[in-house]
Amino acid sequence: MKLLDNPRLAAITALLTERETASRVVSARVEAFSCKRAGEDKKLSKTLDRQYLQEALASSPQQVVVHGGLVDGGTTASSSS
């Protein structure tokens, strides 16, 4: 994950930082993060996908669903979307 710089969210954070109401003090922060896999996360995801596929094929080689496609007897047939 990566922190995304967003001026609008920074402005909202400024409004919410140490804001006093009648009997409460609000201290908040609003941030945006990307969820795109990158670097080590991407490598780990690929490794886990391979391990899942190997284990799934070992337990039930007839039909395994992988990311919208079917792996049927060791061959991949992608769905057309």
Side-chain angles (χ1 to χ4, degrees):
M1 286 196 321
K2 179 180 176 184
L3 177 64
L4 302 175
D5 183 33
N6 187 320
R8 288 183 177 176
L9 294 181
I12 293 171
T13 296
L15 289 173
L16 295 174
T17 301
E18 301 299 323
R19 180 64 77 191
E20 292 186 32
T21 63
S23 61
R24 309 264 189 243
V25 175
V26 176
S27 183
R29 186 172 186 99
V30 182
E31 298 175 332
F33 288 87
S34 74
C35 294
K36 181 181 176 184
R37 294 181 203 136
E40 292 299 316
D41 290 338
K42 195 172 189 177
K43 289 177 188 176
L44 176 61
S45 177
K46 286 181 179 184
T47 301
L48 292 174
D49 283 347
R50 279 193 299 271
Q51 288 177 351
Y52 164 77
L53 181 58
Q54 290 171 352
E55 290 176 15
L57 287 173
S59 66
S60 178
Q62 285 76 24
Q63 199 173 50
V64 177
V65 176
V66 179
H67 296 293
L70 277 181
V71 177
D72 197 4
T75 62
T76 303
S78 296
S79 62
S80 59
S81 53

